[in-house]
Amino acid sequence: MKKAPVNKIIPFSNVDGPGNRTSIFFQGCTFNCLFCHNPETIRLCEGCGACVDKCPAGALARDAEGKIAWASEKCVQCDTCIRVCPHSASPKVKWMTVEEVLAQVKRSAPYIGGITTSGGECTLYNEFLIELFTEVRKLGKTCLIDSNGSFDFEADPRVLSVCEGVMLDVKAVEPGWNDRLISYPRDRVLKNLDYLLKAGKLFEVRTVIFPGRDRENEDTVRYVSRRIGGSCSYKIIRYRPFGVREQYQKVLGEFETEKDYAGHFAAIARTEGAKKAFVV
Amino acid sequence: MSDALNIIKDPTLTYRQELIALARLGESTDDTVRYSDAYYAAKKKGALCDLNEGVMPYRPRYICPDYELLFQKGCKFLELAPPKDLLEAVNVLEIFYCHVPSITTYPVYVGDLDKLLEPFVIREDREYAKKVLRLFLRSIDRVQTDSFVHADMGPEDTVTGRILLELTEEMQLAVPNLTLRYDPDRTSDDFALACVNCMLKTAKPSFANHLMFVKEWGERYAIASCYNGLSIGGGGFTLPRMRLYECSLDAKSPEDFIENVLPRYIDLQLEYMDKRVKFIVEESTFFKTNFLVTEGFVKQENFTGMFGVVGLAECCNHLLGIEDKKKGFGMNEQATALGLQIMDAIEKRVAAHEAPYCDAYGHRYRLHAQVGIDSDGMDDSPGTRIPIGVEPTMLEQLEVNEKFHPYFPTGTGDIFKFEETYLKTPDAILPIIKGSLRSGLRYFSGYLENNDVVRVTGYLVKKSEIEKLRAKKQSLNNVTVFGMGAQDGGHALDRRVQHHEESARQ
């Protein structure tokens, strides 16, 4: 039975693709972005136990196998465990089967247009996604992947054949800035951008705009816009320090990107042909 | 100070509000309609409540005139000819409304405005029609100064419906309340989305499950007052309510409640309704002399009694010894199952009772999930709603609602509060509404967290008007004071917000 680590499932989401969608957040990521606002999804629990004693609700314990067990019914969602975790992980992760995830999707099914898988990086669990999407499509619902672009879709396009498309993050283009920002080489992402576009599976591109990073922001926005043109929407996301690790807030900024500043890049995107650029 | 003196010295009451309060006081001096001692005892302990309907009813509680008939043949008593154009049409309505009685003294149903006015609107230039409708809505808001005044529209998309939505958004008025009859086969997504947009900006319209109402009432039903299903050309005689939490205090166990306590209180409430209905029909002059009856705008046989219940959540929690509401009704399968058992028992016993009159409904009363009044505080949640402040996720809340809404042909509903991002994504709300109506929800209301016009329990108020009352100033709308009470005592505006839950990644 295939299992994958699920950080959380949000039954109704209005910000993870069109309409009302059930969003499934998988645990574990291939990137380590400075601006990640849920860094507790980056790694899998190593079982160090640093969180167990700190839990004020007594919801964490070490089980017989030495793993950290989370009692969701006792949890008060104070997130202390996440704050004290030295590994950018979370003990509040459930290893779920496709059937278990599907059961939750079925419950939401009357009210949603489809599902979005996100993370972390959901494509780490490609085989799981293929099975899940195949089942979800039988319900008449659409499937979208929210991805950082680290998965080689061209080498293994199977998942694309069972989903509507990919919402791809293009976080940086200029190599130096890219490596510093996301700790992962940029080439795979940019290759995916072109491949998904060609395959007709690029549903949306997202880029985060950082305060005061004029050149870096502009490089990325121009590059993406020239590539995608009017073929899909381009979401220009304002950087928000909420949830970002403190040491990185010092690097990137402790305030959110101004609307007007982000709007300036959306305007650039449109002059470069990205007709469906908008700011959130 | 006497009660009368209190009323006339209250600086927050307008002249009309004083008049209504004094009339109520006058009515309360009579004791012609008497009930059993057991009824009075139940009322005194708060298990039964007459919603201050007054001791001597001189009109049915809710009246839903047949406005189509008015437009076909005019009104002799008011000397109104059938309207020939839009100006005449709105003028006829404005005059007629002033003569439609109700428990509030204001008309609780002002018609299917889109259907009524569409033939006139489409003959006019759109801008001109919009101006006339703007003045018409202004007249309703300033003359029928009560948020229980309710207009209906749909299921089809119409020019008039579109203009009404535009004006509703532009004018930001609490009156009239507004409902879209939603029919998946007849209401286009485009029109429904326009309604969702308007709802986010003004807390109206709400969405009524047209297919469900049609099954119970036929095509000609009205949504009146808060969310009350009634017959057009008819209405509701009376609406008392069982306060189920207070009822449950008499019970030793859930079984004792269902087998002994509940039947006793149901029968007492039926006794109250029977006597009241008979008095309205047989003693008061309404059904004998009022022009609405003599000219056929309403027919006595189309009225029914509304059997109200309130506080099911607290009742179930008490019976199961659940003290933490967060683990109670709505979040707890056992409590929800008990709620269904209780509703089955109520439905069955009320259906077994032969009611006087109510001819069109087989001489039966119909259930109503009463929406609460300001003095209920936190003891009794509206109808079968999950208590404010402990609502689960929207999905779970809908699932619970869908189980209970079918019990209540004369009305129930729930309200959902959305945070700001939904303003940009009405397409994320429509599937929720469609899915829930398809799954058994009767009535869906929503509003945006930071609006001025908000839905309190079933009616609309402006938060800015509540602030006026707090500053000891008058508010034109009779209902603002209920909104203030519900906010203070019932935290009615603190319901859970549907957030995006930080799901967007960065």
Side-chain angles (χ1 to χ4, degrees):
Chain A
M1 190 77 62
K2 241 175 233 95
K3 281 191 173 190
V6 174
N7 180 284
K8 65 175 164 183
I9 297 179
I10 293 179
F12 293 177
S13 166
N14 67 328
V15 291
D16 297 300
N20 189 38
R21 311 187 75 76
T22 295
S23 299
I24 300 146
F25 293 82
F26 290 86
Q27 180 76 11
C29 190
T30 44
F31 289 8
N32 186 1
C33 301
L34 302 190
F35 59 96
C36 182
H37 77 169
N38 42 12
E40 74 280 6
T41 62
I42 296 175
R43 295 209 179 83
L44 294 176
C45 175
E46 297 186 10
C48 76
C51 55
V52 173
D53 295 339
K54 300 278 172 31
C55 176
L60 297 172
R62 199 178 280 282
D63 69 12
E65 295 171 33
K67 289 182 184 157
I68 308 303
W70 169 55
S72 58
E73 69 286 355
K74 287 189 192 164
C75 177
V76 294
Q77 301 295 351
C78 66
D79 285 354
T80 303
C81 50
I82 287 168
R83 278 193 297 277
V84 301
C85 178
H87 302 108
S88 294
S90 164
K92 298 191 288 180
V93 168
K94 288 207 162 124
W95 284 82
M96 297 175 76
T97 62
V98 171
E99 287 71 23
E100 285 166 338
V101 174
L102 190 65
Q104 298 233 16
V105 174
K106 281 184 177 164
R107 217 175 137 181
S108 309
Y111 318 93
I112 58 171
I115 68 164
T116 297
T117 55
S118 184
E121 175 53 33
C122 63
T123 58
L124 279 170
Y125 312 99
N126 188 48
E127 301 298 329
F128 188 98
L129 293 188
I130 291 170
E131 270 188 37
L132 177 66
F133 291 171
T134 305
E135 293 304 315
V136 168
R137 283 189 143 192
K138 288 181 192 161
L139 305 174
K141 303 293 169 190
T142 61
C143 302
L144 287 172
I145 294 173
D146 190 342
S147 173
N148 63 15
S150 58
F151 181 80
D152 191 342
F153 287 105
E154 187 167 13
D156 183 358
R158 286 174 304 149
V159 74
L160 294 181
S161 68
V162 287
C163 78
E164 272 54 42
V166 176
M167 298 186 282
L168 182 71
D169 294 346
V170 179
K171 301 170 196 250
V173 165
E174 193 273 312
W177 171 238
N178 174 82
D179 294 355
R180 198 172 149 208
L181 195 65
I182 67 177
S183 309
Y184 193 93
R186 60 165 212 169
D187 299 2
R188 174 69 58 75
V189 181
L190 300 184
K191 185 186 148 205
N192 272 324
L193 177 67
D194 290 341
Y195 174 72
L196 291 170
L197 196 56
K198 198 176 78 188
K201 290 286 183 182
L202 189 63
F203 190 85
E204 178 178 276
V205 181
R206 295 94 169 265
T207 294
V208 175
I209 299 295
F210 299 94
R213 301 273 172 180
D214 299 359
R215 188 182 52 77
E216 293 89 338
N217 292 331
E218 189 171 333
D219 280 353
T220 315
V221 167
R222 281 197 195 280
Y223 180 94
V224 170
S225 303
R226 282 173 195 163
R227 285 265 188 308
I228 65 172
S231 64
C232 70
S233 62
Y234 189 16
K235 196 188 261 186
I236 306 281
I237 300 172
R238 291 191 290 147
Y239 163 81
R240 292 168 176 91
F242 179 78
V244 174
R245 287 160 287 189
E246 249 171 65
Q247 65 270 33
Y248 301 134
Q249 283 191 27
K250 294 205 174 77
V251 180
L252 296 168
E254 291 171 350
F255 300 97
E256 67 177 43
T257 299
E258 300 276 342
K259 252 186 193 161
D260 287 351
Y261 185 70
H264 162 73
F265 293 102
I268 290 177
R270 283 188 288 267
T271 59
E272 293 286 0
K275 285 181 215 138
K276 293 185 236 167
F278 64 101
V279 175
V280 294
Chain B
M1 259 194 303
S2 73
D3 290 341
L5 194 58
N6 274 332
I7 292 168
I8 64 176
K9 290 188 76 127
D10 185 338
T12 66
L13 295 180
T14 64
Y15 168 71
R16 275 174 181 276
Q17 288 159 2
E18 285 179 334
L19 196 65
I20 294 166
L22 287 168
R24 272 184 207 292
L25 189 62
E27 188 191 343
S28 74
T29 59
D30 187 277
D31 61 357
T32 305
V33 190
R34 297 287 303 166
Y35 307 100
S36 64
D37 291 346
Y39 170 78
Y40 289 114
K43 187 181 167 191
K44 194 168 170 205
K45 69 191 278 188
L48 297 182
C49 167
D50 64 8
L51 285 170
N52 302 316
E53 270 188 353
V55 297
M56 214 171 44
Y58 49 100
R59 66 317 199 201
R61 183 181 178 98
Y62 299 125
I63 294 167
C64 306
D66 183 347
Y67 294 102
E68 276 180 43
L69 187 66
L70 171 67
F71 275 18
Q72 278 164 27
K73 63 166 207 171
C75 175
K76 287 196 190 84
F77 181 69
L78 297 174
E79 299 180 54
L80 298 170
K84 293 186 289 299
D85 62 27
L86 183 60
L87 269 188
E88 288 186 10
V90 298
N91 185 246
V92 162
L93 288 175
E94 284 169 359
I95 292 168
F96 197 87
Y97 292 156
C98 295
H99 300 275
V100 179
S102 80
I103 184 68
T104 66
T105 80
Y106 293 92
V108 293
Y109 168 66
V110 293
D112 299 5
L113 293 184
D114 56 346
K115 230 176 276 144
L116 281 170
L117 297 174
E118 184 75 354
F120 305 107
V121 164
I122 54 172
R123 295 209 305 262
E124 307 286 356
D125 168 69
R126 195 180 193 281
E127 276 314 296
Y128 170 78
K130 187 169 173 179
K131 182 171 181 185
V132 174
L133 291 179
R134 183 188 295 278
L135 296 178
F136 175 57
L137 288 182
R138 188 172 76 173
S139 153
I140 293 177
D141 182 66
R142 306 298 199 282
V143 179
Q144 314 303 339
T145 52
D146 187 291
S147 287
F148 298 115
V149 171
H150 203 130
D152 297 347
M153 59 195 285
E156 286 85 8
D157 189 354
T158 55
V159 178
T160 312
R162 293 279 177 167
I163 296 176
L164 288 172
L165 291 179
E166 288 167 27
L167 289 169
T168 297
E169 189 182 328
E170 287 167 27
M171 296 170 78
Q172 295 288 324
L173 305 173
V175 185
N177 204 339
L178 187 64
T179 292
L180 170 74
R181 303 152 190 274
Y182 181 83
D183 177 341
D185 297 326
R186 288 157 69 186
T187 312
S188 69
D189 276 0
D190 194 54
F191 188 53
L193 274 174
C195 289
V196 171
N197 250 316
C198 188
M199 175 185 84
L200 286 172
K201 290 168 182 165
T202 63
K204 54 185 170 176
S206 297
F207 292 73
N209 189 334
H210 185 65
L211 298 180
M212 187 182 265
F213 278 108
V214 166
K215 221 179 258 173
E216 297 154 347
W217 298 93
E219 280 277 335
R220 293 186 35 88
Y221 71 92
I223 301 296
S225 193
C226 281
Y227 49 43
N228 309 350
L230 291 165
S231 183
I232 292 176
F237 287 120
T238 177
L239 166 56
R241 55 190 199 142
M242 297 179 69
R243 298 177 79 223
L244 292 171
Y245 168 68
E246 281 73 11
C247 294
S248 75
L249 298 177
D250 287 2
K252 291 191 277 295
S253 65
E255 296 73 36
D256 182 36
F257 181 72
I258 290 175
E259 281 162 29
N260 305 308
V261 177
L262 198 57
R264 190 166 74 237
Y265 283 120
I266 291 173
D267 290 350
L268 288 174
Q269 180 152 299
L270 289 169
E271 172 206 327
Y272 169 88
M273 294 176 76
D274 288 354
K275 288 200 173 150
R276 221 172 151 79
V277 170
K278 279 189 191 155
F279 185 87
I280 296 170
V281 176
E282 295 165 10
E283 305 293 329
S284 86
T285 57
F286 180 82
F287 284 110
K288 300 184 177 110
T289 62
N290 191 289
F291 77 96
L292 292 171
V293 177
T294 57
E295 296 192 37
F297 298 116
V298 293
K299 294 192 172 73
Q300 187 237 90
E301 57 266 31
N302 290 338
F303 281 75
T304 184
M306 301 157 75
F307 189 100
V309 297
V310 71
L312 181 67
E314 289 76 8
C315 167
C316 293
N317 289 349
H318 172 74
L319 290 172
L320 294 171
I322 299 167
E323 284 177 15
D324 182 0
K325 281 194 283 186
K326 286 187 191 127
K327 294 177 181 156
F329 181 87
M331 277 66 66
N332 174 320
E333 282 181 21
Q334 199 194 354
T336 307
L338 176 60
L340 290 169
Q341 244 184 305
I342 292 172
M343 283 314 307
D344 282 339
I346 295 174
E347 186 180 53
K348 200 172 155 200
R349 198 166 184 92
V350 173
H353 176 75
E354 168 121 9
Y357 306 103
C358 311
D359 301 56
Y361 309 105
H363 303 282
R364 292 296 179 274
Y365 296 137
R366 294 190 147 186
L367 299 192
H368 179 84
Q370 204 275 330
V371 83
I373 54 175
D374 50 337
S375 56
D376 287 337
M378 302 294 278
D379 292 343
D380 288 277
S381 289
T384 62
R385 278 186 204 157
I386 297 168
I388 288 236
V390 298
E391 301 98 327
T393 63
M394 191 172 180
L395 169 63
E396 293 162 301
Q397 195 175 344
L398 287 169
E399 287 174 339
V400 173
N401 271 309
E402 288 157 7
K403 293 192 174 84
F404 288 96
H405 279 202
Y407 288 103
F408 301 103
T410 58
T412 185
D414 209 351
I415 309 172
F416 299 91
K417 184 165 150 186
F418 293 92
E419 55 87 58
E420 295 285 329
T421 61
Y422 276 93
L423 205 48
K424 286 187 182 152
T425 60
D427 63 330
I429 295 182
L430 185 56
I432 299 176
I433 296 173
K434 288 166 76 164
S436 58
L437 296 183
R438 201 167 46 230
S439 308
L441 197 85
R442 181 180 293 278
Y443 196 78
F444 182 104
S445 301
Y447 64 95
L448 206 63
E449 153 173 61
N450 296 322
N451 274 3
D452 188 26
V453 181
V454 291
R455 193 168 292 274
V456 181
T457 51
Y459 52 86
L460 301 166
V461 297
K462 286 187 163 195
K463 287 192 275 191
S464 54
E465 287 287 306
I466 292 179
E467 292 315 310
K468 277 191 192 169
L469 283 185
R470 291 196 195 288
K472 295 283 171 225
K473 290 183 185 147
Q474 298 176 353
S475 172
L476 183 64
N477 190 322
N478 301 349
V479 174
T480 310
V481 65
F482 300 151
M484 182 168 77
Q487 185 180 30
D488 293 347
H491 306 289
L493 300 181
D494 301 333
R495 58 179 55 88
R496 178 194 167 105
V497 180
Q498 175 63 19
H499 273 286
H500 61 72
E501 308 200 44
E502 297 141 31
S503 60
R505 54 197 248 168
Q506 123 177 337

